[in-house]
Amino acid sequence: MASLDAAFHALADPTRRAVVSRLVRGPAPVKELAAPFAMGLPAFLKHLRVLETDGLIRSEKVGRVRTCWVNSDRLAAAEGWLSQQRALWQASADRLADYVELQMPRSMDDGG
Amino acid sequence: MAAEDHELTISRYINAPPARVWTAWSTAEHLEKWWIPAPIECKVITLDLRPGGGFETLMREGGGAFQPHVNGCFLEVIPEARLAFTTVMSAGWKPIEPWLALTAIMSFEAVGKGTQYSARVLHKTESDSRKHEEMGFQEGWGTAINQLAQLVEGPV
């Protein structure tokens, strides 16, 4: 269960989930991973450290470039039945937040 | 996290007051926009917000026919505070055999200028979950990894 707890913790944050989603499509250098996020590099590196400590990603530095890739074994472990459900519900909450914060018309403030 | 093998809780801070978040959940035209990950389309058939009221949504992928998604029954409706539904019953508390038995309890808590939105979801025992897994209940949803990928791609 320890590995699952770690995976849950690692994936409990939208930035970290986004990083893992990106890495599922293939390895990427840190610079490229950080590009979509409006946060400083130190804050972003902290997220990467959590992912690496919890074993969801691995990284290696060659020269001045650190490349990350997804740890398939750990991700597969995190793919248990309950974690799939969790991912669905967390994703749903994230979509609700995005919709309310970014898309929902302002005039609809009064409850239905 | 010492969660039991059949219960999960997720939480998310939303930068809008509970009234707005509640409206997004309780109005069909809004619910359809976020309830299912894009590009899958969602259609709300029934959203009868009272205990015993029906909750039915359909999904459609790639312009095909709409397929069953959620068919349930609301258990508790407290505007801007709490919303609970179950899939083991349909409208009017009618018992049904769902493809996935669950009870979901959503709470909307005012925190500062925003809302702490939480969902606690109860399932049957693990053996039952395994049975569902063997039956391939994830069909049409893909794996957690695909879901994760959709998180960043989200609704446009």
Side-chain angles (χ1 to χ4, degrees), chain B residues 33-86:
Chain B
K33 301 272 199 334
W34 64 267
W35 185 227
I36 299 180
I40 304 170
E41 276 179 87
C42 172
K43 188 194 266 183
V44 175
I45 301 296
T46 315
L47 186 62
D48 188 0
L49 288 159
R50 59 195 168 115
F55 178 38
E56 191 180 354
T57 56
L58 302 178
M59 60 183 175
R60 177 166 73 175
E61 230 173 329
F66 275 99
Q67 306 290 332
H69 175 240
V70 170
N71 182 19
C73 173
F74 287 109
L75 303 168
E76 184 175 46
V77 180
I78 305 171
E80 299 173 26
R82 228 151 95 99
L83 183 63
F85 73 87
T86 183

Side-chain angles (χ1 to χ4, degrees), chain A residues 9-48:
Chain A
H9 168 240
L11 297 173
D13 174 272
T15 301
R16 296 200 288 267
R17 284 200 302 275
V19 168
V20 172
S21 311
R22 164 62 189 83
L23 290 176
V24 163
R25 295 197 284 271
V30 169
K31 205 171 181 176
E32 182 190 324
L33 287 174
F37 300 103
M39 67 176 79
L41 195 61
F44 185 77
L45 289 173
K46 212 177 282 184
H47 282 305
L48 287 189

